[in-house]
Amino acid sequence: MSTAATAHFAPSRTATGKTTGARNSPVAQLWSVRETAEYLCVPERTLYRWRYMETGPPSHRVGRYVRYVPDEVHAWVLQQP
């Protein structure tokens, strides 16, 4: 069994209450389905439906979780009619 040190990602809260990456880099700040739904003011179920229909913002699988890159969500919003 190895005792090598590993880097841990520790989320922290901002003044707005949103969780951000401790490293404060854009790559580390992925949104969950809940955070994305809150940002878009839609139910979480709508995001899952959009994902299934491939009509919503780009989403990514991270293990068993669905995550969103904030910049991609912003770009998707700007492209909507």
Side-chain angles (χ1 to χ4, degrees):
M1 204 155 135
S2 174
T3 58
T6 58
H8 293 283
F9 178 78
S12 61
R13 298 264 175 198
T14 63
T16 61
K18 295 289 183 185
T19 303
T20 62
R23 296 181 205 151
N24 221 10
S25 74
V27 174
Q29 296 178 356
L30 297 177
W31 287 348
S32 67
V33 172
R34 175 175 287 162
E35 291 169 323
T36 306
E38 287 175 4
Y39 173 77
L40 295 173
C41 298
V42 299
E44 291 177 39
R45 186 175 176 133
T46 298
L47 280 177
Y48 285 113
R49 186 175 343 113
W50 287 347
R51 180 176 160 78
Y52 174 77
M53 297 173 64
E54 297 179 1
T55 59
S59 59
H60 307 276
R61 274 247 178 240
V62 179
R64 65 180 181 156
Y65 303 101
V66 175
R67 295 292 183 245
Y68 293 86
V69 177
D71 288 341
E72 293 177 351
V73 175
H74 295 300
W76 178 82
V77 167
L78 295 175
Q79 292 175 354
Q80 299 310 298

